[in-house]
Every structure is written in C-alpha cells, then in structure tokens.
Amino acid sequence: MIAPTAATGPTSAARPGGALLELVVAIPLLALLATVAVTLLLNAQRAAQRADQTLAVSHELRHASAVLANALRPLTPHDLLAWTDTSIEFESTIATGIACNGRGARDRVDLIAAASVDVARAHESMPIQPNDQLVVFASTLDSTLAPVRLSATVHSRAPSTACAGSPLVDSSPDPGARTITVRLTDSIPRPITAGSPVRITRTVRYLLYQSGTFHFLGRRERNALGWDVTQPVAGPLLSATARGVRVVVRSAAGTPLLSGDTTAALVHVELRATARLTPRKASAAIARVDSTILDVALRATPRP
C-alpha cells in the first residue's frame, strides 16, 4: 500500500478558497456586462422613441397640408376675405344647388332637393345655418358675358314643395318634388331664372393658436352668434415667432399681396414642427425641425 503524500491534504483544502476567488472576480464582470446590456437597451429605446416622434410629426404635417389643400383648392380670389402671417379667412362652400323657379326679386330661393338619380340637385356638405352666404349666378342678356354674382345672407332653411310645378322637376310624384327653401335676410337685388346655379358658403378661418405651452393649427367657423370655438386640426407646431405657420398670398406675377386684395392668384402656406431633440454632450440639445410647403393656385384667376 502506498502511503498518501504530504501534498494531498493541503491541495484538497485549498479548493474552497479558489472558488471564492473566482466568484469575487466574476461578480464585477457580470455587473459590467449587465450595465453594458442595459445601456444598449436604453439607447435602443431612446432611438425608437425619437423615430416614433419623427414619424408622428411627419404625419401631423401631412394631415395639416391635406386639410388646407382640400379647403383652399375650390377657392377663387373673391372667396378670400383676409389673411395675416399666421391665418387665412375665406368663404367655404357648404352647399350647392339649382334654383327651380324664378319669381323676380324676392327674399327666398327654392332649390331642387337632393336625389340619388340626379347629382346636379342640391347637395349639403354641412347643414345650412343662419348667417351663411347665398350666391346666385344669374345669366345676362349677353350670352358672351359671365353670369352675374348675386349675394344675400341666409335667414333660415326649411323643406317645402315649391319645386313641384317647376319645369326642372318631373311631373310624377318622385323625390325631385321635394324642395329646399332658403329664406334670406334681404332680397336678391335682381330677378333670377329657373336653372340658375346657387352656392351657399360659410366664413371659415384657419390659424395658428396657442393652447397651454403648445401651438396648433386650428379651424373656426362664423355662425349667427359669431365665431365658434377653435377646433384643433394638427400639431403641436412651432410658435409664430419660429414660423410654425406662415401664410403668403401672391398675385399672378408672384408679388406678395396685402390682406383683402382681390387680385390674389396663389396661396402659399408653410408649416413647421419640432421633429426631435438631438442631445449634445457639450451644450443643450439641438431641435431638429420638420416642415412642409403648400402652394395652391386659386381658380378663375387671369394669367400674368
């Protein structure tokens, strides 16, 4: 039998100490790896948040541009009422129709009611209200001249059967016999004939306004009681001093015009918003700005 050497005992007794030493070394390494992993995850989260913010701002700018384009494209120079650097006010079409009879100068206009079989009959995109503006395009004796615009203010709107005997309505009792009668606060200044186109408008204003510490593009309408509450369209945008909204109305030659000029031919709108904040080590974060530009040519404008 071989007797155990003297070195066997001390080697076996040293193992617990070696394991403790390995644990002491491993813990800081694990902590370092955990710190690196958490840092990478936080950076990825911040990058995703910045990307989401940039996408959201881009969506808001596209939405605002689409809303303004839809509102401005049907306009003529006569529809523009006033504008500033951060707002524009105009007459927006809310209803169209055809006068079904002519009775000379009067305080009401009878419109052929809407019907699915005839899209040329009256159409209301919004309910007609008091203080809306009614425009009749009356024909002239000279067929080479443009129709005359006859304007009046709406007093009320009600259904009736005034178009039942009109030559523009079938004799049979069909949906065309119904009528939209628009009463006016004043009389139309001259007679109109059956078949005259009619347009009803409402004064609308788009503007940059502040709510709390943020700025938004808003929309207002004028009714019988005055301007209603501003409704947000898009935002947040930059402030007026940072040119969050910039409106310029130009002539056909490209010259900027003062508010109310009837020679307007083009509406130029710029929208700006903070896309994201980029951090800097040595100083404050840098604001990255996103923007969009909208140019809308007004209808029925002369060439330069």
Side-chain angles (χ1 to χ4, degrees):
M1 182 180 294
I2 301 174
T5 61
T8 302
T11 301
S12 178
R15 288 180 181 175
L20 179 61
L21 180 60
E22 292 173 357
L23 185 60
V24 171
V25 174
I27 288 177
L29 291 177
L30 292 174
L32 178 61
L33 292 176
T35 302
V36 172
V38 170
T39 302
L40 292 176
L41 289 175
L42 290 177
N43 289 338
Q45 183 183 21
R46 295 190 188 98
Q49 290 175 344
R50 288 194 294 268
D52 289 343
Q53 183 181 5
T54 302
L55 185 62
V57 170
S58 178
H59 172 77
E60 289 295 319
L61 290 175
R62 288 198 305 269
H63 175 68
S65 180
V67 170
L68 287 173
N70 184 64
L72 296 175
R73 279 177 182 148
L75 302 183
T76 69
H78 294 284
D79 297 324
L80 290 186
L81 301 178
W83 58 85
T84 67
D85 291 341
T86 58
S87 68
I88 184 168
E89 184 178 318
F90 53 87
E91 293 290 348
S92 178
T93 301
I94 63 166
T96 58
I98 298 176
C100 64
N101 48 40
R103 302 178 182 175
R106 54 186 176 175
D107 62 353
R108 69 182 184 274
V109 174
D110 299 319
L111 305 177
I112 304 175
S116 59
V117 297
D118 188 354
V119 296
R121 296 179 179 181
H123 170 72
E124 294 179 76
S125 59
M126 296 182 182
I128 300 172
Q129 299 178 357
N131 208 44
D132 290 340
Q133 295 297 309
L134 180 143
V135 179
V136 179
F137 297 90
S139 59
T140 61
L141 297 177
D142 188 347
S143 59
T144 63
L145 298 178
V148 178
R149 293 168 56 99
L150 306 176
S151 301
T153 303
V154 174
H155 176 271
S156 61
R157 173 236 192 258
S160 69
T161 57
C163 289
S166 171
L168 300 179
V169 178
D170 297 337
S171 58
S172 59
D174 63 3
R178 295 199 302 268
T179 307
I180 297 176
T181 295
V182 182
R183 295 192 176 275
L184 309 172
T185 58
D186 47 0
S187 297
I188 297 176
R190 57 178 290 181
I192 63 173
T193 58
S196 297
V198 177
R199 176 187 180 217
I200 299 177
T201 65
R202 182 172 302 159
T203 304
V204 172
R205 178 187 297 166
Y206 284 88
L207 71 158
L208 180 68
Y209 75 100
Q210 184 174 355
S211 178
T213 59
F214 298 100
H215 295 79
F216 298 87
L217 176 68
R219 182 184 186 275
R220 303 185 70 182
E221 291 184 357
R222 182 186 289 275
N223 52 39
L225 302 177
W227 290 103
D228 64 358
V229 178
T230 302
Q231 300 295 328
V233 174
L237 303 177
L238 295 179
S239 65
T241 55
R243 302 172 74 176
V245 172
R246 181 172 179 262
V247 177
V248 180
V249 178
R250 303 183 185 276
S251 66
T255 305
L257 302 176
L258 297 177
S259 178
D261 196 318
T262 57
T263 63
L266 179 75
V267 178
H268 174 88
V269 181
E270 300 174 11
L271 303 168
R272 294 180 176 84
T274 301
R276 65 182 186 275
L277 295 176
T278 302
R280 293 183 61 182
K281 295 180 180 180
S283 60
I286 300 176
R288 303 293 181 179
V289 176
D290 198 356
S291 63
T292 185
I293 295 176
L294 174 68
D295 286 315
V296 177
L298 300 178
R299 303 176 63 186
T301 56
R303 293 183 178 180

